[in-house]
Amino acid sequence: MAHTRLIVVRAAWDPDALVWVATSDDLPGLVTEASTFEALRAKVPVMAGELLELEGDTGGLPEIPIHLIAEHTFRIPNPRAA
């Protein structure tokens, strides 16, 4: 059976700083932010690749999947509020 690795990255909107923040328990050191989700999406693979290269143990895999989970809580007006 081939060795597999999945890196889960969680992205959350920080309403105080007005940026998306990404972190990963699967890849220590992966912490980055960007003003848009698209910019964050572009930064994550680059940063993950650099950290994996430093880590050194990728198991010889041709590709390593990254699962990016985004969370963004927002509010809407209640149409029935007085």
Side-chain angles (χ1 to χ4, degrees), residues 2-5 58-65:
H3 175 71
T4 59
R5 179 174 185 175
T58 59
L61 298 170
E63 294 181 330
I64 298 168

Side-chain angles (χ1 to χ4, degrees), residues 40-75:
L40 187 75
R41 165 62 182 87
K43 289 176 77 172
V44 166
V46 173
M47 186 172 218
E50 291 171 355
L51 289 168
L52 286 167
E53 188 173 342
L54 288 172
E55 187 179 84
D57 181 23
T58 59
L61 298 170
E63 294 181 330
I64 298 168
I66 297 176
H67 185 78
L68 181 58
I69 302 169
E71 300 174 19
H72 186 182
T73 301
F74 53 93
R75 297 174 189 268

Side-chain angles (χ1 to χ4, degrees), residues 20-53:
W20 283 94
V21 179
T23 60
S24 176
D25 291 338
D26 297 323
L27 191 54
L30 195 151
V31 178
T32 190
E33 63 182 41
S35 59
T36 66
F37 183 77
E38 292 76 16
L40 187 75
R41 165 62 182 87
K43 289 176 77 172
V44 166
V46 173
M47 186 172 218
E50 291 171 355
L51 289 168
L52 286 167
E53 188 173 342

